Amino acid sequence: MNYSNPSVREHSDGRWQIRFRYKDGDKWKTLSRNVEATPRRDATNKATQLHRSLEEESLVE
């Protein structure tokens, strides 16, 4: 399954939301995860790591 590049946005309480879009059959779906990070750079790094693990996981299935 191919996931889009992650989008990262900050919540008001300091958490960050990471969102991915992917195609399931003929429909687009969204996958989101909340992470704790201080600067945006850390949240972006976590998003990149999560993206890699999702892609690797989809290759195994």
Side-chain angles (χ1 to χ4, degrees):
M1 192 171 301
N2 289 330
Y3 292 89
S4 67
N5 289 329
S7 65
V8 178
R9 68 179 183 166
E10 186 175 14
H11 286 281
S12 60
D13 61 359
R15 291 179 299 130
W16 294 84
Q17 182 184 43
I18 303 169
R19 294 178 63 182
F20 299 94
R21 304 246 321 139
Y22 65 96
K23 198 163 190 178
D24 185 17
D26 60 344
K27 294 187 178 190
W28 284 96
K29 295 190 176 185
T30 303
L31 174 72
S32 66
R33 296 287 186 260
N34 291 320
V35 296
E36 303 254 345
T38 304
R40 183 179 186 91
R41 180 179 291 165
D42 287 347
T44 303
N45 288 340
K46 287 183 180 186
T48 303
Q49 291 172 353
L50 181 58
H51 187 242
R52 284 185 194 138
S53 68
L54 288 171
E55 288 293 336
E56 287 174 5
E57 189 176 294
S58 68
L59 292 175
V60 173
E61 294 177 347

